[in-house]
Amino acid sequence: MAGNKQVDTKIADGLRAARSAARLNVRQLSAKTGLSTATISRFENAKRRPELGQVKAWMVACQAPPEQASHLLELTERSERFPWVATTLPDHRKQTAALIRAERTATSIVEWSTHVVPGLLQTSEYARAMMARARLTEDEIENRVAMRIGRQVVLTGPQPVRFTALIAEGVLGQLIGGPAVMVAQLRRLLEASSMPHIHLRVVPQGTDWHRGMDGDFVLIKGEIGAMVHVGIPRSALIFDRQPDIDLFEAAAEEILKLAMTPAESSAVIQDMINRVDPQLEDDQPSWSTAVPAG
C-alpha cells in the first residue's frame, strides 16, 4: 500500500538534502550505497518510498549529522506500511501499535462515532461495561481498559492534540453499563467539551443521507502525514493512501456541516443527563426491600 504524498515528500526532501550537503552526485551515491541511479531518482522525487535499511545506507554514505539522520530514520520507521485488514493476532497487534503511535504523534484527530462514545473520551467504567459483554476474561478486560485510558494522554499532556469528536445523537441515549455509568460518561463529555483543544459536536437524528452513514472512522493527521482507522468486527482497516484520505476528509466536512453547534451539543448532553439522572434513584433498593423485616 503506497503511503500518502505528504510523508513521501518529506522523506524525499530529507534524502535529497543529505546528498546535496555531502556534495555527491547521483552516480557517486549509487557507488556508495549500491542503489541504482534510477532508484535514487525515484526516492528523491517521491515516486517511491525507501525502506529503512536503504535510508540508513544513504545516511552513512552522506555522512549525515546524527540529528538529521535520526530524524529521517524515525520518519521512515514511523511510516511503515500498515496491513489493510488484520486477520491474525500479530497483524491486529501491529494495527493497534500503529494507531497508538499515530495518535501520539498527531497534530489533529477527527473521530466520527455512531454507536458508542469515542474511545479517547470514554470513562474506564463505560469502557469496562462494553468489554464485559465481549466474553473476555477479567485480565483481558482490565488490560484493554488500561490501554484505552492510557491512550487518552494525547488529550491531557502538555501539548494536547486538537480533537474533533463527531457523535451521533443516538449514542447519548444508550444506557451502556446502566444509568450511573452513563451519567458519569455524559458528564465526562461535558467536561471535555469545555477544553479549548476538544471540539465536541453532536449530529442530530433525522438527517438526510450523508457520507457518515457509510460507517465510523478516525482521521489522524501528524508529522508523518495522515491515516484513517476504520473499526470492523474482530479487526480494523487502516488507510494511508491520499485518495482514501481525501474521501474521509470530505466525509468529515459533510458531517460537520450537519452537526449542532458546540452550545447546542452541550445542551443536548445536559438534557440527556437530566433525563437519565432520576433513574439512578430507581435503581437503588428502597428501605423496605433493602432491609429484611425483623
Side-chain angles (χ1 to χ4, degrees), residues 205-274:
Q205 295 177 330
T207 65
D208 199 348
W209 186 91
H210 57 82
R211 298 188 200 190
M213 291 182 180
D214 286 336
D216 299 4
F217 61 86
V218 184
L219 172 61
I220 305 174
K221 293 183 178 181
E223 181 184 349
I224 65 170
M227 62 171 274
V228 175
H229 181 272
V230 178
I232 58 177
R234 299 178 62 83
S235 185
L237 301 173
I238 291 181
F239 303 94
D240 71 346
R241 296 191 308 176
Q242 196 61 48
D244 297 319
I245 301 299
D246 293 342
L247 181 67
F248 284 102
E249 282 187 325
E253 291 175 4
E254 188 173 334
I255 297 167
L256 194 57
K257 290 178 181 178
L258 295 170
M260 302 177 190
T261 67
E264 291 170 340
S265 299
S266 295
V268 167
I269 295 172
Q270 184 60 61
D271 180 62
M272 188 56 64
I273 291 174
N274 296 340

Side-chain angles (χ1 to χ4, degrees), residues 104-130:
R104 291 185 177 177
T105 59
T107 54
S108 70
I109 300 175
V110 178
E111 180 163 357
W112 163 236
S113 186
T114 60
H115 297 95
V116 298
V117 169
L120 290 179
L121 298 179
Q122 290 178 8
T123 65
S124 57
E125 293 80 8
Y126 182 94
R128 187 175 291 105
M130 287 195 309

Side-chain angles (χ1 to χ4, degrees), residues 3 22 32 35 141 152 197 213 238 262 268:
K32 286 177 174 289
L35 297 171
I141 291 173
Q152 297 176 5
H197 58 284
M213 291 182 180
I238 291 181
V268 167

